[in-house]
Amino acid sequence: MVLNYEIKTEKVNKSRLPEVDFTNIPFGRVFTDHMLVSDYINGEWQETNIMPFQELRLSPATTVLHYGQEIFEGLKAYRDAEGNAYLFRPHENFRRFNISADRMVMPQIPKEIFMDGLRELVTLDRGWIPDTEGGSLYIRPFMIATDDYVGIRPSNNYKFIIFCCPVNAYYAEPIKVKIEQEYVRAAKGGIGEAKTGGNYAASLYAASRAQKDGYQQVLWTDAAEHKWIQESGTMNVFFVIGDKVITPNLDGGILQGVTRDSVLRLLRDNEYKIEERPISVDEVVEAYHAGELKEVFGAGTAAVIAYISAIGHLEDDMVLPPVEEWEVANWLQKTMRGIKNFTVPDKYGWMIKA
Ligand code: COI
């Protein structure tokens, strides 16, 4: 039983860092030297351990492997000129993690484990934070149900883990997305707002069909009518129509993106006209044909600001103007990058020293 939240650290004997080519890192495939693990057993969080990155030993009967009781987060760390590690809005990820935990009937994680553990882990592995343009350390906290039990009920035991990967941009180039009007990511009353693996598993079939047709992602529509645009699975979406920037409102079915929130704050405070409201496929198609659809972009932790160069709808593609001409997305890209590399003042206090 935990009496205090002390974090024990066992360091690697030899770092793998010298073997890494930071100019050529595929997203999500290179892992830093250490990871953090904390177990929840009989209603109590146990001690937290930072240890060398390693494989897990699990029984084949482990609940998560069968019924998907799992949640996760994604956030990023950056390095300043002195080599100190900074986390971008980590309290938002902590808050959202516990909202997802509630929805998936999992225990709340204490701040002392999530936040203090995160800080210690990232400080220890700060040498892995790339200083390349657009590079960062992607951090993956997650929690899995670990009962050895083949049956449907919330697990009694859980494992909370954080590991990190140095990454470059998730989408290196502008992407093409396809409006999905047959398959569904999330329905009203479902788990669309939780950051849980099931939502991503549910997206794979439609995404792989879209990929066969030459698109990188789908643009999900609502489950009831396939009329209202939701999100793009890896990110929230924004449309610049005329002089307005429009994004679907949070309706319980889409992810409450931290990058989405940051984009809205930046735009609002810089006199852009923002509308957070339901936006229909018809409105986008009509705006396109009227020459009013100026920019479409995604916003997400991995994707940051992802330019959408074309939207597939029925048999046609709506092709956007060249991205060099985009005012809003280019300004956001520059401003977000500037805040993260300390060249633009961080007036919101988003960068938190690890
Ligand atoms: C994130 O942006 O953090 C995600 O979880 C999405 C995934 C594409 C990595």
Side-chain angles (χ1 to χ4, degrees):
M1 183 191 292
V2 170
L3 297 176
N4 64 48
Y5 288 111
E6 193 194 347
I7 299 170
K8 292 199 179 138
T9 300
E10 180 202 339
K11 292 189 190 170
V12 290
N13 293 328
K14 188 169 175 282
S15 172
R16 289 178 280 105
L17 190 51
E19 295 157 26
V20 180
D21 172 9
F22 278 93
T23 59
N24 184 25
I25 19 176
F27 195 101
R29 289 197 187 274
V30 177
F31 310 108
T32 67
D33 284 328
H34 299 94
M35 65 188 210
L36 175 143
V37 181
S38 189
D39 289 313
Y40 183 86
I41 301 170
N42 298 328
E44 297 283 350
W45 285 102
Q46 309 297 308
E47 70 178 26
T48 303
N49 289 288
I50 291 177
M51 59 181 75
F53 184 87
Q54 58 195 262
E55 290 172 3
L56 305 176
R57 274 179 68 95
L58 294 174
S59 157
T62 306
T63 304
V64 65
L65 302 178
H66 306 273
Y67 307 117
Q69 200 191 3
E70 183 269 359
I71 58 169
F72 69 96
E73 269 304 322
L75 69 158
K76 282 180 171 172
Y78 302 84
R79 215 164 13 143
D80 71 4
E82 283 77 49
N84 301 302
Y86 281 79
L87 297 155
F88 184 75
R89 305 191 72 187
H91 296 99
E92 293 304 310
N93 299 90
F94 171 58
R95 190 180 64 81
R96 191 172 63 180
F97 194 77
N98 275 334
I99 293 173
S100 299
D102 188 47
R103 182 64 180 84
M104 300 303 287
V105 204
M106 298 170 91
Q108 296 289 292
I109 183 102
K111 194 159 174 265
E112 289 83 352
I113 298 177
F114 189 105
M115 287 303 303
D116 299 353
L118 180 60
R119 285 185 137 122
E120 278 201 32
L121 178 67
V122 169
T123 302
L124 181 63
D125 280 350
R126 66 187 177 284
W128 288 79
I129 303 176
D131 48 16
T132 49
E133 172 82 7
S136 61
L137 190 71
Y138 184 80
I139 304 162
R140 169 53 53 86
F142 70 106
M143 179 169 22
I144 54 173
T146 53
D147 276 9
D148 292 351
Y149 175 60
V150 181
I152 309 287
R153 59 148 171 75
S155 182
N156 291 319
N157 299 291
Y158 296 89
K159 204 176 257 305
F160 171 71
I161 300 179
I162 311 180
F163 68 90
C164 313
C165 332
V167 296
N168 285 312
Y170 190 75
Y171 295 116
E173 300 288 338
I175 59 167
K176 285 175 69 178
V177 300
K178 186 179 168 208
I179 296 180
E180 180 56 60
Q181 291 185 294
E182 186 176 358
Y183 299 101
V184 167
R185 172 186 173 274
K188 217 170 177 53
I191 55 170
E193 201 175 43
K195 205 153 170 71
T196 181
N199 285 325
Y200 296 79
S203 75
L204 295 177
Y205 187 73
S208 64
R209 282 171 50 118
Q211 277 155 15
K212 282 198 194 102
D213 294 338
Y215 301 92
Q216 282 77 29
Q217 261 302 332
V218 295
L219 197 49
W220 293 105
T221 52
D222 71 291
E225 297 176 274
H226 287 301
K227 174 176 176 184
W228 305 100
I229 289 173
Q230 295 196 307
E231 59 161 270
S232 190
T234 49
M235 53 201 184
N236 297 109
V237 283
F238 289 77
F239 300 85
V240 181
I241 297 183
D243 66 348
K244 296 191 186 99
V245 188
I246 307 166
T247 194
N249 54 306
L250 299 174
D251 62 354
I254 67 174
L255 193 77
Q256 296 190 19
V258 178
T259 311
R260 174 188 184 278
D261 182 73
S262 310
V263 162
L264 286 173
R265 174 68 81 83
L266 287 169
L267 293 177
R268 209 170 263 136
D269 288 359
N270 286 277
E271 314 302 329
Y272 285 93
K273 291 186 192 151
I274 302 296
E275 291 183 6
E276 254 184 289
R277 61 164 171 82
I279 175 163
S280 67
V281 174
D282 288 349
E283 180 178 349
V284 172
V285 173
E286 276 162 29
Y288 175 72
H289 290 299
E292 288 291 299
L293 184 63
K294 312 275 186 214
E295 307 176 29
V296 183
F297 57 90
T301 296
V304 193
I305 303 297
Y307 298 75
I308 294 174
S309 57
I311 304 178
H313 177 239
L314 305 176
E315 297 308 312
D316 288 326
D317 273 355
M318 296 182 273
V319 180
L320 278 290
V323 297
E324 298 74 34
E325 295 170 13
W326 294 14
E327 198 240 311
V328 183
N330 285 328
W331 178 80
L332 280 167
Q333 177 83 274
K334 207 168 81 197
T335 308
M336 296 276 279
R337 245 186 213 170
I339 293 172
K340 292 166 178 180
N341 65 25
F342 306 95
T343 54
V344 168
D346 173 23
K347 64 178 186 180
Y348 306 105
W350 284 343
M351 298 294 280
I352 306 292
K353 197 156 183 266

